[in-house]
Amino acid sequence: MSIQQAVRVVCISILLATVHIQTLAQPQPSAVEVSVEVEALLGKTAVLKINGQRETLSVGQTVAGVTLIAAEPTAAIVQINGQSQTLGLSERVGTTYREPRELVVTIARDAMLKYETNATINGRSALVLVDTGANIVAISGKQATAMNIEYSSGELTTVETASGVTSAHAITLQSVVVGGIEVNNVPALVVEGVFPGTILLGMSYLKHVKLQEHNGILSLSRSQ
C-alpha cells in the first residue's frame, strides 16, 4: 500500500469514528413594526386591526406575531414579542416583533450505527447516546456519582437490565444541554451499578426538540 493510500484509509477511519456536532443558529431576523388597535370585544374574541388589517382573534390565537391572551368586557390583553399589554377599545399600541430563531444540532451516525454526542448535564460534560426507545434519560449510579449528581433521595423503583432486575432512583435533572439546546427540569432515572455504560438521552429530553434523520445525519432543532 502506498503512503497516499494509507493516509486516505486513516482519514476515512477518523471520519467514521468522529461525531460531528454543529450548532446552527439562524441569523437574527430583523424586527418588524407591529401596530395593534382594538376595534371590538365579543365574549372570548376580539376584533383587532393589526398593521391596518382587520383580524378576528379567539383567545390563544396568534396572527402576525400578536397573540390574544384574554378578552375582557372593556379591554383586550395581547402579547407581542413576549410582552403582554392591555388595550382598551380604540386604543392603539405600536411595537416590534421578532420571529423566534431556531437552533439546530446535527449528529453524524458512527461506525456502530449509533448517534452519540456530548451533552452538558447539570453543568458537567458527558457523552450521551440518543435513544428514542428510552422514555426517560437514564444514567448509571457510577456515572451519576462521578458527576456529583445526588440521587439517593430520589424515588426508589426497579428496572430490568441485561443482568436482571436492578434498583433505580427517579430524579429531576436541573438542565440538559445538547449543542446549545437547553431543557430544564428533565426527569431521569439513575440505575444503581454501571448500566447503562453511556448515558441514554431519552424522550424526557427529546420530546422538547424536533428530530429529523437523513442519510446518517440526525438533526435536533428547537425554536428559541
Side-chain angles (χ1 to χ4, degrees), residues 102-122:
E102 185 177 62
L103 288 177
V104 180
V105 177
T106 59
I107 307 171
R109 187 171 58 203
D110 64 17
M112 300 297 292
L113 305 181
K114 297 178 180 180
Y115 291 107
E116 291 185 334
T117 186
N118 286 316
T120 302
I121 299 175
N122 286 6

Side-chain angles (χ1 to χ4, degrees), residues 132-155:
T132 57
N135 61 4
I136 197 168
V137 172
I139 309 172
S140 71
K142 179 181 179 181
Q143 185 148 24
T145 299
M147 297 173 66
N148 289 331
I149 296 175
E150 166 56 39
Y151 65 89
S152 60
S153 60
E155 182 181 353

Side-chain angles (χ1 to χ4, degrees), residues 69-131:
I69 303 300
E72 301 176 347
T74 59
I77 302 175
V78 298
Q79 186 178 74
I80 308 171
N81 199 28
Q83 300 294 322
S84 295
Q85 302 192 49
T86 301
L87 301 177
L89 285 170
S90 299
E91 189 174 353
R92 178 180 300 180
V93 64
T95 185
T96 57
Y97 169 71
R98 290 183 184 272
E99 290 286 346
R101 68 191 183 104
E102 185 177 62
L103 288 177
V104 180
V105 177
T106 59
I107 307 171
R109 187 171 58 203
D110 64 17
M112 300 297 292
L113 305 181
K114 297 178 180 180
Y115 291 107
E116 291 185 334
T117 186
N118 286 316
T120 302
I121 299 175
N122 286 6
R124 291 180 174 266
S125 179
L127 183 68
V128 298
L129 170 65
V130 179
D131 187 354

Side-chain angles (χ1 to χ4, degrees), residues 125-200:
S125 179
L127 183 68
V128 298
L129 170 65
V130 179
D131 187 354
T132 57
N135 61 4
I136 197 168
V137 172
I139 309 172
S140 71
K142 179 181 179 181
Q143 185 148 24
T145 299
M147 297 173 66
N148 289 331
I149 296 175
E150 166 56 39
Y151 65 89
S152 60
S153 60
E155 182 181 353
L156 186 63
T157 183
T158 57
V159 296
E160 189 166 345
T161 69
S163 58
V165 177
T166 305
S167 297
H169 299 263
I171 64 169
T172 299
L173 298 171
Q174 183 179 355
S175 67
V176 177
V177 185
V178 179
I181 301 179
E182 181 175 6
V183 178
N184 297 316
N185 301 319
V186 179
L189 273 182
V190 176
V191 183
E192 292 185 357
V194 297
F195 176 86
T198 302
I199 296 173
L200 302 181

